[in-house]
Amino acid sequence: MNPIIQPRMLSGLAVARASRKICLIALFFLLIAAMANAETLSEADVKNLLARIRENPITQADFQEQRVIRLMKKPLVNSGRVWFQPPNKFRREVKGNSPSLTVSDGQQLWIYYPNFKSAERYPLGKRSPLDSTVAAINSALNLENIENTFQITAAKIDKGYELALIPRTASMKRVFQKLELHISDQLRAERTEMFLPNGDRILTSYSNQTRAPVPPSTFEFKPPPGTDITTPLGQ
């Protein structure tokens, strides 16, 4: 090796190693700082937090959703608006090139695809396979009765709270493995991340949340004339 350039190469290598070490040290302290700022809540504090959230539940919000699929390079993205009424009524409108409408009145659930003029109808209750799915959807914003169906841990962080919900029942575990929620200081759901059994994840961010009353007709659906209606569960 040329003795003139050898010291320069060693010097450059030393600088790179030193820079990498500094970055690792900085990352370590950032992690330590994040852990220090997270304060795990006691069981009593969790109950108190949930009670405060339920006093003024979110009834509607805009959402932006990303579905991260293991076999796809880019996530599937959609957006729209959602309405809630505890314990099991909701309406979810997806906008864009592939719009859809999902409506539950607590007794049945409709999924309508306007581009195809088709609708699917599913019964709820009486141990319907979709009961767990509806419960999972409603858990995101209204948090009604979640102590009975989830193991809950929570921590106070900067500008809000982080909650982790793990299903207790086998039927709900088939829908998702864990649901993480970020709640703001104003006790509004700002972000959720759902971990599915197949390794996929669904990240949803909420904005323009309101607590205004929702008209009962919001959770009603009548298929437009000419709609092709199917009942996948045979009921």
Side-chain angles (χ1 to χ4, degrees), residues 91-146:
R91 181 186 187 95
R92 185 176 186 268
E93 296 182 358
V94 175
K95 304 175 182 178
N97 296 328
S98 301
S100 66
L101 170 65
T102 304
V103 182
S104 167
D105 63 0
Q107 297 180 343
Q108 59 185 354
L109 181 144
W110 288 91
I111 304 177
Y112 176 59
Y113 306 95
N115 287 356
F116 302 98
K117 295 183 179 180
S118 66
E120 299 171 358
R121 182 173 61 84
Y122 299 89
L124 298 177
K126 299 181 180 180
R127 298 183 178 180
S128 166
L130 283 183
D131 288 346
S132 296
T133 302
V134 172
I137 294 173
N138 279 308
S139 297
L141 290 185
N142 62 48
L143 302 180
E144 283 291 324
N145 299 320
I146 61 172

Side-chain angles (χ1 to χ4, degrees), residues 29-41:
F29 280 109
L30 283 173
L31 292 174
I32 293 297
M35 293 174 63
N37 289 333
E39 177 186 350
T40 301
L41 300 184

